């Protein structure tokens, strides 16, 4: 198994960050081959999703999450910025990990699919993402 942690700057706003280029670079730095890629975000307030980006779906995802998880004072978890409790519920909806099949050193994503970091937490501007490749 080969593993690497990358740092992603998310800033101080809700965001969806496409990780596909970083994933391609990680896989290209190895020996190729077939296997499974694990993408894991070790944070209690972020998740990993496969969606289309650049055509509005990333913005639509954030809008849907705002509808499902409003940033208000209803949350029991109250430290951090206003409404921060919702950020701790996010990984229950957008999982903190994903496994992607890899064939011949390339992730087997569909034409419009991208692996993305989803971060609604405005309090932490940098996120770690662990990429681990298990050769088959």
């Amino acid at each position: 198994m080969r593993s690497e942690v990358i740092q992603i700057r998310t800033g101080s706003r809700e965001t969806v960050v496409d990780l596909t280029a970083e994933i391609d670079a990680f896989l290209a730095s190895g020996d190729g081959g077939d296997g499974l890629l694990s993408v894991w975000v070790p944070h209690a307030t972020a998740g990993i999703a496969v969606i289309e980006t650049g055509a509005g779906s990333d913005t639509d995802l954030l809008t849907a999450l705002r509808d499902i998880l409003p940033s208000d004072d209803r949350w029991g978890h109250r430290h951090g910025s206003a409404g921060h409790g919702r950020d701790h519920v996010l990984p229950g909806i957008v999982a903190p990990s994903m496994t992607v099949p890899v064939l011949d050193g390339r992730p087997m994503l569909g034409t419009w699919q991208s692996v993305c970091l989803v971060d609604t937490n405005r309090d932490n501007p940098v996120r770690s993402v662990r990429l681990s490749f298990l050769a088959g």
Side-chain angles (χ1 to χ4, degrees), residues 25-93:
F26 170 73
L27 291 172
S29 70
D31 297 332
D34 300 346
L36 297 173
L37 174 71
S38 170
V39 183
W40 165 255
V41 57
H43 299 283
T45 58
I48 302 293
V50 171
I51 63 168
E52 177 182 6
T53 60
S57 296
D58 39 354
T59 303
D60 290 343
L61 175 58
L62 290 174
T63 299
L65 289 171
R66 278 185 220 109
D67 289 345
I68 296 167
L69 303 170
S71 182
D72 58 23
D73 63 357
R74 75 182 69 199
W75 308 102
H77 187 104
R78 296 192 181 270
H79 79 82
S81 61
H84 176 63
R86 73 165 185 148
D87 301 326
H88 287 273
V89 177
L90 174 73
I93 296 170

Side-chain angles (χ1 to χ4, degrees), residues 69-125:
L69 303 170
S71 182
D72 58 23
D73 63 357
R74 75 182 69 199
W75 308 102
H77 187 104
R78 296 192 181 270
H79 79 82
S81 61
H84 176 63
R86 73 165 185 148
D87 301 326
H88 287 273
V89 177
L90 174 73
I93 296 170
V94 180
S97 68
M98 170 167 304
T99 302
V100 179
V102 175
L103 296 175
D104 197 25
R106 298 187 46 154
M108 290 292 94
L109 297 170
T111 302
W112 304 111
Q113 290 181 317
S114 295
V115 178
C116 298
L117 170 66
V118 180
D119 187 3
T120 59
N121 183 352
R122 299 179 309 266
D123 296 336
N124 295 326

